[in-house]
Amino acid sequence: MNARRKEFPTAQELRIWRDFIETTEALRSELSSRLQRESALSPGDYAVLLALREADGRRLRSSELAVSVGWERSRLSHQIGRMERRGLIRREECVTDSRGAEVVLTPVGAEAFRNASLPHLRAVRELFVAALTPDQLAAAQELTTALRNRLSSAP
C-alpha cells in the first residue's frame, strides 16, 4: 500500500501542479489576447515569424521550421497556408534540393513581426518578468530546465 502511494502525487503536490497549469494557461491566454488585439497576429503567426526572422537568410525548409516551432508537419502546413494568403510568408523551391520547398519571410511579414514585437515584449515584461523577484526568475529558469530535461529523457 505504501509503495503504491509513492506512485501518485500527494494532495499538496496536486494543488501545486494544478496552480502551475492554471497560471501558465492564464498567462498564455492573456499574452495571446494582447498579441492578437495589438498586432492582429496569432501566437502561431508570431512563432513562425520569429523562427524565420532568426533563420539564416530568413528562410527555412518546412521540416526545419516544424522542428523549430515544435509542431507536427500537418499543423504547420495549415498555418503556412493561412500566413501565405495574408502575404506574411511565401514558399519557394529549395535552391539546394529541388524536391523540397523553403518558407521565406516576406517584407510584409518582417514588418508585421517588428510591429508586434515591442508590444509583445512589453507584455512579457509586465505579466511575467515584473511579477517575479530576481531570485524567483532564477528559480523559474531552474524549474523549466529540470522539466525540459525530464521531458527530453522520457521514453
Side-chain angles (χ1 to χ4, degrees):
M1 183 80 135
N2 217 359
R4 186 176 181 119
R5 287 186 54 79
K6 292 283 187 189
E7 293 178 38
F8 302 104
T10 65
Q12 180 182 3
E13 290 166 339
L14 282 173
R15 275 192 304 279
I16 293 167
W17 163 249
R18 192 167 174 162
D19 285 347
F20 175 78
I21 293 300
E22 290 172 356
T23 302
T24 302
E25 288 303 317
L27 180 60
R28 179 179 286 167
S29 177
E30 180 62 24
L31 286 169
S32 296
S33 294
R34 288 186 186 195
L35 182 65
Q36 185 77 44
R37 186 174 57 249
E38 295 170 351
S39 70
L41 293 178
S42 71
D45 294 336
Y46 193 83
V48 169
L49 293 174
L50 174 61
L52 291 172
R53 175 76 169 69
E54 292 178 341
D56 285 342
R58 297 185 176 183
R59 61 180 53 233
L60 286 170
R61 292 184 60 114
S62 294
S63 57
E64 295 168 328
L65 183 54
V67 169
S68 179
V69 296
W71 294 350
E72 296 292 322
R73 299 238 359 221
S74 62
R75 178 181 177 191
L76 180 65
S77 179
H78 292 291
Q79 181 72 37
I80 287 172
R82 288 188 298 271
M83 293 177 74
E84 197 169 28
R85 285 188 291 279
R86 292 166 44 216
L88 300 170
I89 59 167
R90 69 177 177 272
R91 290 180 239 212
E92 294 181 356
E93 280 190 27
C94 181
V95 293
T96 59
D97 180 1
S98 61
R99 297 172 296 156
E102 292 180 314
V103 180
V104 180
L105 182 64
T106 66
V108 170
E111 183 178 351
F113 180 78
R114 262 191 316 277
N115 292 339
S117 289
L118 289 178
H120 181 62
L121 294 174
R122 274 195 295 270
V124 168
R125 172 156 295 284
E126 174 194 339
L127 298 171
F128 181 73
V129 176
L132 303 173
T133 66
D135 287 343
Q136 290 170 327
L137 204 54
Q141 178 63 55
E142 289 177 33
L143 174 92
T144 57
T145 299
L147 291 171
R148 195 172 302 248
N149 289 341
R150 175 58 63 105
L151 290 169
S152 68
S153 67

